[in-house]
Each structure stands twice: as structure tokens, then as C-alpha cells.
Amino acid sequence: MRSFWSGLSAALLLVGLATASWAQNGLERFDKEIKPQLELKKFSYGSGAPLGSSGFVLNDVVAVIPANAATGDKESTVKIQKVTVDELDFDRLKKNANPDEGPRFAKLKLEGITGDDEMFTALQPYGVPNVPIDMALDYRIDTAAKVLHLNTLEMTLRGQASLALSMVLEGISDKTSASTAKDEGKLRTARLVYDDKGLLAKLVPPLAQAEGIKPEDVVKTALASIAGFAEPQGPQTLQALDAIASFIADWKAPKGALTLGLKPAKTAGIDDLDKIMMPNALTDLFGFTASYPGTKPGAAKAGK
């Protein structure tokens, strides 16, 4: 009899472990802990699969947003071809989680976002087709060191342009609010990459026409401003400004992505922005860099 109960106990233990393991996969946690909290009229997906204990994949997602002022007091439907979540801080997203403690990490990607809201068709009057949008977010907060690592925040308008931001902010913890981040945070590094595939060529002409000027005049004004700023600058600052001026001059057909970087000196802060017009402060104080495959030496002063 003792062996019977021992065998039964072992069997129940195995079942319990198996059930606990199954209940802890990422998709199950999303369905049980996150989905019920979504303030949507409807949320569904065609198929899904777990990615470890804190990740999941959803295909053919449909979300119906209730009517509100932002949607013109009418329902709005958003569709996403694929949602990939590699990891998510489920513990901080639970219903009973402390509202003063934000999610410590997230790594996700949304592919093929479309919708019937005006936001998705806002650029059509300017000749920009209503194409799907892709988004990616990857960040982690080092709670002990109070450092935010934003590995990527990227948005792509398929076939038109993409914008990607990455940065490291000191003084940011999981308890930092959006209102206090600007005072508590200090930028360690930042990188912004803009890759244009024809968006500027579509947008600049109609926007210039709306102002009653020619597209070329818009570009000339921008280049003239850069030339004025470039006049007292040293070689390192001029090199960065050459990249920006060259990119602007190539607005009809850029020769690659424009990459901007910041790596401020340890003594630099928000209060130092008033020094931006000082010669070489842009590079010496704020560690500004810029690169562009089509950079032409001397482009910064060419618009004088």
C-alpha cells in the first residue's frame, strides 16, 4: 500500500510540474494576465505560439478600438500581420502590479500594421501610399545602476522611410515617471538613423506649395542656415555639418542613411544648451557626430 501511495504521489507531482510549466509559457501568460486588461472592444488573433517563459508570437491580430475623441468619436480597427515578443516584464504588467513601478524590460516587434483611422491615411494627400508600418522596441532598465538601455526604437513606413533611435540614459529607474525623467535623466549616448527611400521627394513639394514657395527655396533656406552656423566652427564640427548639408541637398534621392550621434561630456546637461551656438560646442561639449554616404567636403558652407 505504501508503494501505491508513493507512486500516486510521484505521478501527481509530475502532472503538477507539467501543468505549471505549461501555464508559465509566454502565450499563456499573455492570454491570462495581459489580454483581459486591454481596453479594447475586440481583440483577436488567428494563431499564436509561445517563445519561452516570457515571449510569444501572434499572427493576424485584429484590435477594435472603442470610439473616443482621438478617433473622431468612431470605432477604429487596427490590424497587425505579426507580433513577436521575445521577452516582456509580465510581473510589472499584472493587474495588481504596483503602478509606480514600470516594466523593466521589453523586446518586441510589430510587423505589417494597418488601420482605418485617419492617422494611417494622413500622408495620402501628399502622394504617399497607405503602406503597412513596422515597429520595434527593445529596452532594459538596470534597476541597481539606474540606467536605461534603449537598444532600439524603430518605425518603418514600408518602401518610404525608416527611423531608428537608440540611447543610454543614466539616472532612470523603474520608478522614474515621464514627468521627472527630464530632470533625473542624463544622456550618456544617443544614435538616430534616418533612411529615406523617397518620402522626402513626395512630401517636400506639396508642403512647399502650401506655403506658396518652391521646393528648391525650402532647401536653400535650410542650407543657408547651416552655412551661417558653420562659419566659426572647427574641422570636426564642419565634418558633421557637411554630412547633414549633403543629405539635405540630396533630398530628391538620398545616397543612403543619415546617422546622427551624441556623446555628451560628463559635465554637460540640459542647462548647457544655451552654449550650442559657441564655436565647436556641438562636438566638444555634446559629442555630436553625423555621417552620410554621400557627404561632400565643404557642403556645410556651400549654402552661404
Side-chain angles (χ1 to χ4, degrees):
M1 181 63 71
R2 180 177 297 177
S3 61
F4 169 80
W5 287 114
S6 298
L8 181 59
S9 299
L12 290 174
L13 180 60
L14 287 174
V15 171
L17 290 174
T19 303
S21 176
W22 170 79
Q24 291 300 309
N25 75 55
L27 181 59
E28 180 71 9
R29 296 193 69 180
F30 170 78
D31 282 333
K32 287 188 175 182
E33 301 173 18
I34 308 299
K35 187 177 177 180
Q37 299 185 61
L38 299 177
E39 297 180 353
L40 301 170
K41 183 175 181 180
K42 176 185 177 183
F43 182 88
S44 63
Y45 56 87
S47 62
L51 281 180
S53 61
S54 64
F56 55 89
V57 176
L58 303 179
N59 296 300
D60 301 322
V61 174
V62 178
V64 179
I65 304 171
N68 58 75
T71 60
D73 294 323
K74 60 181 181 180
E75 291 182 358
S76 175
T77 300
V78 176
K79 297 181 179 180
I80 309 175
Q81 294 174 354
K82 186 176 183 180
V83 176
T84 303
V85 176
D86 291 294
E87 57 178 352
L88 191 64
D89 193 355
F90 282 100
D91 292 337
R92 293 294 178 85
L93 294 171
K94 290 180 179 179
K95 188 176 182 179
N96 59 350
N98 188 340
D100 295 327
E101 296 179 338
R104 294 158 294 185
F105 57 86
K107 184 177 182 180
L108 53 91
K109 181 166 58 176
L110 311 179
E111 300 175 77
I113 307 172
T114 57
D116 57 6
D117 186 72
E118 292 181 359
M119 177 184 70
F120 291 93
T121 59
L123 297 180
Q124 281 189 342
Y126 302 102
V128 180
N130 186 21
V131 297
I133 299 172
D134 300 324
M135 298 183 67
L137 172 64
D138 179 6
Y139 80 91
R140 183 173 294 274
I141 298 175
D142 186 332
T143 55
K146 290 188 177 181
V147 178
L148 166 64
H149 295 268
L150 178 62
N151 299 314
T152 185
L153 174 59
E154 183 174 359
M155 184 173 74
T156 300
L157 195 61
R158 288 188 183 177
Q160 305 299 313
S162 66
L163 187 67
L165 172 68
S166 60
M167 66 171 65
V168 177
L169 281 173
E170 299 176 354
I172 302 296
S173 73
D174 54 332
K175 297 178 178 61
T176 302
S177 65
S179 60
T180 60
K182 62 181 180 64
D183 299 319
E184 298 176 2
K186 183 178 180 181
L187 184 67
R188 182 188 293 176
T189 61
R191 185 171 182 263
L192 182 69
V193 181
Y194 177 67
D195 192 5
D196 189 276
K197 301 296 185 182
L199 184 61
L200 289 176
K202 295 182 179 72
L203 288 179
V204 173
L207 291 175
Q209 185 179 15
E211 297 295 326
I213 57 178
K214 297 179 180 179
E216 291 74 16
D217 293 334
V218 175
V219 176
K220 287 180 181 179
T221 300
L223 293 176
S225 298
I226 293 176
F229 180 78
E231 191 60 34
Q233 308 297 336
Q236 189 174 356
T237 304
L238 286 176
Q239 185 178 8
L241 295 177
D242 282 345
I244 297 174
S246 298
F247 179 82
I248 293 175
D250 291 342
W251 66 276
K252 291 183 179 180
K255 298 177 177 64
L258 174 66
T259 301
L260 307 178
L262 283 174
K263 191 175 181 180
K266 290 184 178 181
T267 56
I270 296 295
D271 296 337
D272 293 306
L273 288 176
D274 58 350
K275 303 175 183 177
I276 198 72
M277 300 303 294
M278 295 175 58
N280 300 317
L282 193 62
T283 51
D284 294 347
L285 192 58
F286 297 98
F288 179 76
T289 59
S291 62
Y292 168 61
T295 297
K296 296 179 180 178
K301 292 186 176 182
K304 185 178 179 180

